[in-house]
Amino acid sequence: MIQTSTKDLHDSGFEKVLNFFRKRSMWMLHYCTGCGAMELPPTMTTRWDMERFGIGPMATPRQADLLLITGYLSIKSLKRVIRTYEQMQDPKWVIGFGSCTINGGIYYDSYTVINRLSDYIPVDLTIEGCMPRPEAIMTGFQTLMDAIQKGEAVGYKKYKENYEWYKKNQDSVLGRTEPVFTSSEVKK
Amino acid sequence: MNQKEIIELIDNKFGIVKSNIYDEYQLSVVVKKENIFAALALMQLNDFKELSILTAVDWFDRNVFEVVYILFSYTHNQQLILKTEIERDNPEIVSVMKLWEVAETYERDVHEFFGIKFLGNPSLKPFFLHNWLDMPPMRKDFKTQQYSDKVFGKTKEEREK
Ligand code: SF4
């Protein structure tokens, strides 16, 4: 069980002043293994131009503060995502992009695609849709900015507080030592 | 060589089980398991130089795996689908690495996803799957929904209990 909920961790005081500046200058790292990544080029470039909100693409995790997961993650790529996330510096935010990050989407019964991203890393915002249109992405960004301003987007604190819970979930898919089905279940 | 001649050639040498002509450019021939290597070698000599893909199909009801080799010839402008059936229990077949070296990768892939052993292929190690300990996932008796429920959780509430 998650020990500390987002509510207990809300930013207050001086953090809120910082948040005002943080929300207007976000550098986004996009992890594009999912098909939803297709909607990003128009979002970034002239057609929708996300730079007018102060969001720019960044090439390395260490200088980014917004991690965009664009869709399904296989177990192998989940490993890389966790690594990427842990390399990023605080404060950092995660957006789950597309149905696949929420409940597995059309891969809900796949043997190698995870179902809920928020079990493994803290997700501050999800944008539903398969795939979400640039309009939805822009609305999502603005919702996140509002949440940052209000001090509600504190996933990174949640990760630290509940590290054990997240680690347990991560290990349950990454570090399995026994088969999932026992031999009696296989026979049936 | 036209399609009839291709079928005849294989039939005269090995006796084919079944053949099918799909269209002008595509035909399939089923041969017995013990003849597959020789049939492939024969076709390679007859200008079917390219192995486009090697894969397998699980015919669960008939309890067989069908191993499929798709060959292509630029000379005859034909796509030849050579197939053979093997037992589903303890499936084994000879590797075709001696004919096409690329088969190494295809066979490794089929081995991982169907559990078919290719005799003579030295690299049947894990390939795509991460830390996989269950039965090969492309077999029809692998229950993918149940697997997903168990590993990735059904609903949040259920798991937190
Ligand atoms: S939600 Fe849809 S568009 Fe996005 S990664 Fe999944 S399948 Fe692809």
Side-chain angles (χ1 to χ4, degrees):
Chain A
M1 266 241 317
I2 286 211
Q3 298 299 331
T4 339
S5 76
T6 327
K7 271 228 168 65
D8 312 330
L9 297 166
H10 278 186
D11 292 334
S12 58
F14 186 58
E15 280 265 277
K16 277 203 156 174
V17 182
L18 289 179
N19 279 342
F20 175 77
F21 298 104
R22 283 170 182 164
K23 74 163 193 193
R24 296 301 291 184
S25 145
M26 284 200 278
W27 291 93
M28 175 180 83
L29 181 74
H30 31 286
Y31 192 87
C32 295
T33 50
C35 26
M38 215 51 243
E39 296 290 346
L40 278 179
T43 315
M44 286 183 194
T45 52
T46 43
R47 183 75 169 89
W48 274 275
D49 188 12
M50 69 181 189
E51 237 179 84
R52 61 203 154 108
F53 299 111
I55 303 173
M58 175 41 70
T60 71
R62 284 163 210 266
Q63 280 100 34
D65 34 28
L66 178 60
L67 179 61
L68 199 74
I69 309 287
T70 66
Y72 56 80
L73 289 178
S74 71
I75 299 177
K76 269 192 174 172
S77 49
L78 176 70
K79 194 172 165 185
R80 274 76 192 178
V81 163
I82 292 167
R83 222 171 150 155
T84 310
Y85 179 74
E86 290 183 348
Q87 279 186 34
M88 288 166 64
Q89 298 182 26
D90 288 352
K92 52 190 172 184
W93 301 282
V94 180
I95 293 186
F97 179 104
S99 318
C100 283
T101 54
I102 302 171
N103 57 11
I106 55 174
Y107 301 99
Y108 70 98
D109 63 349
S110 166
Y111 51 85
T112 186
V113 175
I114 61 160
N115 283 358
R116 261 182 314 280
L117 179 62
S118 54
D119 283 352
Y120 311 102
I121 56 174
V123 178
D124 291 293
L125 179 89
T126 49
I127 306 173
E128 78 267 36
C130 178
M131 47 196 67
R133 298 271 306 141
E135 292 90 333
I137 305 171
M138 296 319 261
T139 318
F141 282 153
Q142 275 172 325
T143 316
L144 181 69
M145 284 175 169
D146 288 344
I148 293 173
Q149 172 70 75
K150 285 194 206 129
E152 286 167 4
V154 287
Y156 62 98
K157 289 188 193 168
K158 199 168 143 196
Y159 189 68
K160 278 187 210 157
E161 292 284 325
N162 303 293
Y163 185 68
E164 247 110 79
W165 186 81
Y166 284 112
K167 187 77 188 146
K168 198 184 89 215
N169 286 344
Q170 292 166 4
D171 282 348
S172 77
V173 295
L174 291 173
R176 200 172 322 112
T177 50
E178 286 167 3
V180 173
F181 293 128
T182 57
S183 52
S184 61
E185 278 173 311
V186 171
K187 290 241 169 59
K188 253 185 275 166
Chain B
M1 250 192 320
N2 63 25
Q3 290 175 322
K4 286 247 162 58
E5 285 163 353
I6 293 172
I7 293 175
E8 252 167 47
L9 178 72
I10 305 177
D11 200 12
N12 288 341
K13 285 261 173 174
F14 312 109
I16 58 176
V17 181
K18 215 166 54 183
S19 68
N20 194 0
I21 293 177
Y22 300 103
D23 61 25
E24 262 181 278
Y25 304 111
Q26 202 176 39
L27 73 158
S28 78
V29 175
V30 184
V31 297
K32 288 227 181 76
K33 177 191 171 185
E34 51 272 23
N35 295 333
I36 187 71
F37 188 88
L40 285 164
L42 176 72
M43 291 333 286
Q44 197 189 37
L45 285 178
N46 282 285
D47 271 340
F48 279 87
K49 289 254 170 3
E50 185 185 307
L51 175 70
S52 304
I53 195 166
L54 184 171
T55 182
V57 185
D58 184 0
W59 295 105
F60 186 58
D61 302 333
R62 288 194 282 129
N63 205 27
V64 289
F65 280 127
E66 192 174 56
V67 186
V68 183
Y69 304 82
I70 299 183
L71 310 183
F72 189 79
S73 160
Y74 289 97
T75 332
H76 311 308
N77 200 12
Q78 289 289 336
Q79 194 171 41
L80 171 64
I81 306 173
L82 266 170
K83 306 186 207 180
T84 187
E85 285 182 356
I86 56 173
E87 288 285 306
R88 223 170 153 284
D89 320 306
N90 204 3
E92 279 179 351
I93 191 164
V94 64
S95 160
V96 294
M97 266 177 70
K98 286 263 151 39
L99 302 177
W100 290 276
E101 251 175 71
V102 287
E104 179 174 0
T105 313
Y106 291 136
E107 288 174 353
R108 190 172 163 193
D109 170 66
V110 172
H111 174 257
E112 175 156 61
F113 284 96
F114 291 90
I116 298 175
K117 233 196 197 153
F118 288 87
L119 305 173
N121 187 328
S123 60
L124 299 178
K125 306 176 290 236
F127 196 7
F128 292 115
L129 299 171
H130 176 88
N131 198 8
W132 189 265
L133 302 160
D134 285 81
M135 86 157 66
M138 287 292 175
R139 295 174 72 130
K140 287 278 188 281
D141 46 351
F142 175 78
K143 301 183 187 88
T144 163
Q145 172 83 71
Q146 267 141 290
Y147 185 90
S148 175
D149 287 349
K150 268 190 145 178
V151 177
F152 307 115
K154 254 185 190 151
T155 63
K156 215 167 186 139
E157 293 74 45
E158 237 168 318
R159 195 144 24 107
E160 286 187 349
K161 257 188 228 160

